[in-house]
Amino acid sequence: MEDKQFNPLVTSNSPLPGLVPGSSQYLIKEGISALHRGEDLQVDQLNTSSSSSPQGQCTDKEGISTNYRAEDKLANQSSTPLDQWVLLGIALSASEKDSLKEFASLTSSTLAQEWDKTVTHVIVGRNAGSRCGRSYEVQMAILSGKWVVAAGWVVDCLVERISGPKPCLAKLIPSPEISYEVKFYDGARTSIDGPAKGRAGAAEGARKLLSGLHFCFSAYMHPEDREDIQNLIAAGGGQVLEGISPDGLRENLKRNPAEVYFIYHGGPPRTPTSDFDLEVQECNKYVGSGARMIRHLQLFDAILCYDVLFLKPTGVFTKICK
């Protein structure tokens, strides 16, 4: 999936730079725009250091942890039994991978190699930067109401276990995940709490983010990107109109009015292409049939922020080419 750095607040709510008034096209030949500045989006790592956050706990012989009793029910943490946890790490350093393996062993949890519906926690490396926000794993976790936590949750717990006042003879008791839940920030330091919103919605049994929305795809989208986006839409409760033509869409909307979004790939192509004009024509046909045109990156932003307002059509075809 596309994992360029981005500023979701800019991509969805601000005018696009370089737009020619009245033009239906927008092309950045150099592949650089305000949407992809390196400083735009950052992962909040401020609450992951062992000196400032609640530490992982381990029990002593009497079954009492360094800060709380094992039987205490802590708010803002997973209610799933430890031995049913499924942990998936992304963008981890070598030492973080080793720590995650040890953590999984001590908690009797399972390590996953890729995303599936059984994953309970996505663990993000300290140096993942802004790229992880649009990763398939993080986006699926948000839509599924799963925890997205910084690797400090694992590392700090193990550090506390080693340096605690008494030897740890029982199973590890991890700290509440809420202290390490990953947050994202735009360049203005505005907090983006998509992971927390996704969890809250799932816990309340709320309507899914994309419920009631319909989507169709550009024929020029790479098959792997299309498959990932289809999975995201399904996880978000949306419906894919597979293989529908512009004429078919027009007739379908006459019978059943609905919100339909036409998604095209708005980032650098996987392979060199000269289909720009054909893509513009395709978009115009679907818009003329009643669809709302959006870049695939807008869908990622909407998921990351857990807000469908980021699907607001820009009204122009925007593509970044190498």
Side-chain angles (χ1 to χ4, degrees), residues 70 75 82 107 125 176 180 184 214 232 271:
L82 294 183
T107 56
Y180 295 87
F184 299 91
H214 299 72
L232 290 172
T271 56

Side-chain angles (χ1 to χ4, degrees), residues 44-78:
D44 179 15
Q45 299 291 352
L46 298 180
N47 60 355
T48 62
S49 69
S50 58
S51 61
S52 61
S53 300
Q55 305 301 305
Q57 311 299 336
C58 54
T59 59
D60 59 21
K61 293 181 180 180
E62 287 73 37
I64 302 175
S65 73
T66 54
N67 287 333
Y68 56 81
R69 293 182 178 276
E71 65 271 16
D72 285 349
K73 291 185 177 180
L74 302 177
N76 298 318
Q77 71 178 60
S78 176

Side-chain angles (χ1 to χ4, degrees), residues 7 9 15 17 49 51 53-55 60 67 70 97 99 107 110 137 175 181 194 201 256 264 272 301 314 318 321:
N7 181 338
L9 300 184
S49 69
S51 61
S53 300
Q55 305 301 305
D60 59 21
N67 287 333
K97 289 179 181 178
S99 294
T107 56
T110 301
E137 296 84 359
S175 299
E181 187 165 47
N256 303 295
Y264 67 93
D301 294 352
T314 61
T318 308
C321 299

Side-chain angles (χ1 to χ4, degrees), residues 29-307:
K29 294 184 179 180
E30 300 302 324
I32 301 174
S33 77
L35 311 184
H36 292 77
R37 291 195 303 269
E39 72 276 11
D40 283 338
L41 186 71
Q42 301 174 11
V43 179
D44 179 15
Q45 299 291 352
L46 298 180
N47 60 355
T48 62
S49 69
S50 58
S51 61
S52 61
S53 300
Q55 305 301 305
Q57 311 299 336
C58 54
T59 59
D60 59 21
K61 293 181 180 180
E62 287 73 37
I64 302 175
S65 73
T66 54
N67 287 333
Y68 56 81
R69 293 182 178 276
E71 65 271 16
D72 285 349
K73 291 185 177 180
L74 302 177
N76 298 318
Q77 71 178 60
S78 176
S79 60
T80 304
L82 294 183
D83 59 1
Q84 294 180 27
W85 283 2
V86 179
L87 313 176
L88 175 61
I90 62 169
L92 300 179
S93 66
S95 62
E96 288 170 341
K97 289 179 181 178
D98 291 340
S99 294
L100 183 57
K101 289 179 181 178
E102 182 180 0
F103 181 89
S105 176
L106 292 170
T107 56
S108 299
S109 52
T110 301
L111 286 180
Q113 299 302 313
E114 60 184 13
W115 171 266
D116 67 46
K117 63 182 181 181
T118 66
V119 170
T120 58
H121 297 71
V122 171
I123 318 298
V124 179
R126 289 180 185 271
N127 297 319
S130 60
R131 294 187 176 189
C132 69
R134 281 177 173 164
S135 70
Y136 181 72
E137 296 84 359
V138 167
Q139 299 250 309
M140 286 296 287
I142 292 173
L143 290 171
S144 304
K146 305 301 178 67
W147 285 98
V148 181
V149 296
W153 177 58
V154 170
V155 175
D156 287 351
C157 183
L158 295 176
V159 169
E160 178 69 13
R161 178 176 182 269
I162 294 171
S163 60
K166 294 184 179 182
C168 293
L169 301 178
K171 279 188 177 181
L172 204 70
I173 302 178
S175 299
E177 291 93 330
I178 192 67
S179 300
Y180 295 87
E181 187 165 47
V182 172
K183 291 184 179 180
F184 299 91
Y185 291 89
D186 76 340
R189 305 300 296 171
T190 301
S191 178
I192 300 169
D193 295 328
K197 291 178 181 178
R199 283 194 306 103
E204 296 168 1
R207 179 184 175 92
K208 291 189 175 183
L209 179 67
L210 304 177
S211 293
L213 305 182
H214 299 72
F215 300 85
C216 52
F217 301 99
S218 169
Y220 300 94
M221 185 175 291
H222 192 280
E224 291 183 15
D225 295 328
R226 181 196 300 267
E227 181 179 359
D228 285 346
I229 293 173
Q230 285 178 326
N231 290 339
L232 290 172
I233 290 171
Q239 181 178 346
V240 174
L241 304 177
E242 187 66 39
I244 193 168
S245 67
D247 290 339
L249 176 62
R250 182 183 295 106
E251 293 302 316
N252 189 63
L253 290 178
K254 286 181 180 179
R255 296 191 302 269
N256 303 295
E259 286 188 65
V260 178
Y261 292 88
F262 174 78
I263 303 178
Y264 67 93
H265 194 286
R270 288 174 177 261
T271 56
T273 178
S274 58
D275 295 329
F276 179 78
D277 290 337
L278 295 178
E279 289 186 72
V280 173
Q281 294 174 21
E282 179 192 45
C283 283
N284 288 337
K285 289 180 181 179
Y286 277 93
V287 170
S289 296
R292 303 178 181 186
M293 177 179 62
I294 61 171
R295 304 180 308 280
H296 75 299
L297 300 178
Q298 286 179 255
L299 177 64
F300 296 168
D301 294 352
I303 295 171
L304 182 60
C305 300
Y306 211 76
D307 189 345

